[in-house]
DNA sequence: ACTATCCCCTGACGGC
DNA sequence: TGCCGTCAGGGGATAG
């Protein structure tokens, strides 16, 4: 499931290849992935130049000429790929973008069809405000987290998964961050001290930077635009590891259900 | 305003 | 071998 590090890895991969290319045509094989009108989407993209690639939380943005942007969300199983333009699309390929004079095409594929592409005319900032996304998790300030966590009655995991609190953490990195901070996922968010919130913020930054360095976590479907898997799944400490010894104290990692999600934690280390 | 639950969708997996 | 139920979880909609 692509979270911030996976989307950042994709953004970096696209940044090396896309800027300067001009879109010659767009083929949509499953219109359900396009938010609003697919015909308008195709017409608007045709002839536009790619000026840059951006990211906020789990959203990827293609910045186009004419003040247009395309917002992409991969949800659970979405992929953004750069493939040879002549390669035949498979049954999960929903969108293909072709470029003038390029041997590659940009492909959106998604087994479960949860992912979405949306044309923006009002800019990224406006989109982020309308979606009520919190600050990006890579740069969120401790003071912001403090005020948001103080103002909720929810448990810590539920609060950190809320993209309105901070944008970018999903189920995997939330479990890993709570383990590193020795905090229980069920602990009331408002019970954190200021010092704990500072440490939590630093740990979020470190964990995400580390995961980006390893090019993300490939557990199920995630690959980068060139089809390469990430490496962070090899260093996960709790996620998906029920029954394995805790890397810190040796106690068996337990799986539970928190905020409707599978949740892995060490019952001994994470009592706080 | 806040919180919990359901739903979207497909493939993998376990039980029989 | 095949059928069926369950699970995976991001986020939007909806109910309480």
């Amino acid at each position: 499931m692509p979270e911030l590090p996976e989307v950042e890895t994709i953004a970096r991969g696209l940044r090396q290849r896309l800027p300067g290319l001009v879109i010659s045509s767009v083929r949509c094989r499953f219109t359900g992935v396009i938010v609003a009108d697919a015909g308008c989407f195709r017409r608007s993209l045709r002839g536009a130049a790619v000026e840059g690639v951006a990211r906020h939380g789990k959203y990827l943005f293609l910045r186009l000429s004419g003040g247009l942007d395309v917002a992409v969300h991969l949800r659970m199983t979405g992929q953004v790929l750069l493939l040879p333009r002549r390669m035949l699309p498979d049954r999960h390929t929903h969108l293909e973008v072709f470029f003038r004079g390029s041997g590659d095409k940009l492909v959106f594929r998604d087994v479960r069809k949860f992912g979405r592409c949306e044309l923006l005319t009002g800019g990224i900032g406006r989109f982020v405000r309308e979606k009520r996304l919190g600050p990006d998790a890579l740069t969120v300030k401790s003071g912001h987290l403090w005020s948001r966590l103080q103002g909720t009655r929810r448990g810590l995991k539920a609060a950190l998964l809320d993209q309105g609190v901070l944008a970018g953490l999903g189920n995997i990195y939330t479990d890993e961050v709570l383990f590193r901070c020795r905090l229980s996922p069920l602990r009331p968010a408002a019970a954190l001290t200021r010092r704990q919130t500072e440490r939590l913020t630093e740990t979020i930054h470190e964990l995400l930077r580390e995961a980006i360095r390893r090019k993300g976590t490939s557990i199920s479907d995630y690959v980068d635009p060139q089809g390469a898997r990430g490496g962070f799944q090899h260093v996960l400490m709790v996620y998906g590891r029920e029954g394995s010894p805790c890397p810190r104290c040796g106690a068996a990692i337990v799986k539970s259900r928190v905020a409707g999600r599978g949740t892995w934690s060490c019952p001994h280390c994470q009592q706080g």
Side-chain angles (χ1 to χ4, degrees):
Chain A
M1 40 242 81
E3 303 177 28
L4 186 151
E6 291 74 38
V7 181
E8 176 65 21
T9 304
I10 293 169
R12 291 180 183 188
L14 297 181
R15 214 168 271 142
Q16 293 176 353
R17 306 278 294 276
L18 294 187
L21 295 181
V22 175
I23 297 170
S24 54
S25 65
V26 176
R27 187 187 295 156
C28 190
R29 308 179 69 251
F30 169 63
T31 55
V33 302
I34 311 292
V35 176
D37 182 55
C40 172
F41 182 88
R42 294 179 62 235
R43 283 192 301 277
S44 304
L45 261 62
R46 200 177 306 139
V50 181
E51 295 185 339
V53 181
R55 181 193 61 72
H56 187 98
K58 304 175 195 174
Y59 281 92
L60 174 74
F61 300 98
L62 298 186
R63 315 223 59 184
L64 305 179
S65 55
L68 298 176
D69 298 283
V70 176
V72 180
H73 199 300
L74 303 171
R75 295 284 182 97
M76 310 289 297
T77 53
Q79 298 174 328
V80 172
L81 301 166
L82 285 164
L83 296 172
R85 65 180 294 142
R86 299 204 170 280
M87 183 178 280
L88 291 176
D90 71 355
R91 59 186 300 242
H92 301 302
T93 296
H94 307 315
L95 193 66
E96 297 167 289
V97 178
F98 300 91
F99 303 96
R100 276 185 209 154
S102 168
D104 289 337
K105 62 181 175 182
L106 184 67
V107 162
F108 179 85
R109 86 183 274 284
D110 185 359
V111 168
R112 289 172 69 179
K113 297 181 175 172
F114 286 176
R116 293 291 181 266
C117 300
E118 178 172 3
L119 179 70
L120 313 182
T121 55
I124 294 172
R126 180 169 162 186
F127 177 79
V128 166
R129 281 191 298 277
E130 284 175 356
K131 291 281 183 190
R132 303 189 170 281
L133 295 176
D136 190 79
L138 207 49
T139 51
V140 63
K141 297 282 192 291
S142 168
H144 169 85
L145 216 46
W146 166 257
S147 66
R148 291 303 304 261
L149 295 181
Q150 289 300 302
T152 181
R153 297 171 61 91
R154 282 186 293 182
L156 198 44
K157 174 157 180 173
L160 293 178
L161 283 172
D162 184 342
Q163 303 299 295
V165 171
L166 79 171
L169 292 185
N171 205 34
I172 297 175
Y173 295 107
T174 302
D175 278 5
E176 293 296 311
V177 104
L178 291 174
F179 172 77
R180 288 186 179 209
C181 289
R182 303 178 185 241
L183 292 166
S184 161
L186 287 171
R187 170 170 190 151
L192 249 66
T193 64
R194 209 175 258 280
R195 180 72 197 112
Q196 283 176 316
T197 308
E198 285 165 10
R199 222 176 84 66
L200 175 65
T201 308
E202 288 164 17
T203 307
I204 289 169
H205 295 162
E206 284 168 20
L207 176 75
L208 295 176
R209 280 199 304 265
E210 224 174 288
I212 292 168
R213 194 159 60 239
R214 290 184 183 261
K215 302 183 188 305
T217 302
S218 291
I219 283 181
S220 53
D221 302 71
Y222 169 72
V223 289
D224 78 3
Q226 328 284 345
R229 289 166 58 81
F232 202 72
Q233 66 276 10
H234 300 305
V235 296
L236 293 174
M237 295 191 190
V238 287
Y239 182 88
R241 300 179 54 85
E242 69 264 35
S244 303
C246 165
R248 208 155 43 204
C249 76
I253 301 297
V254 298
K255 182 183 183 185
S256 60
R257 200 154 194 90
V258 177
R261 307 286 161 76
T263 298
W264 289 266
S265 60
C266 172
H268 179 252
C269 293
Q270 293 174 258
Q271 293 177 9

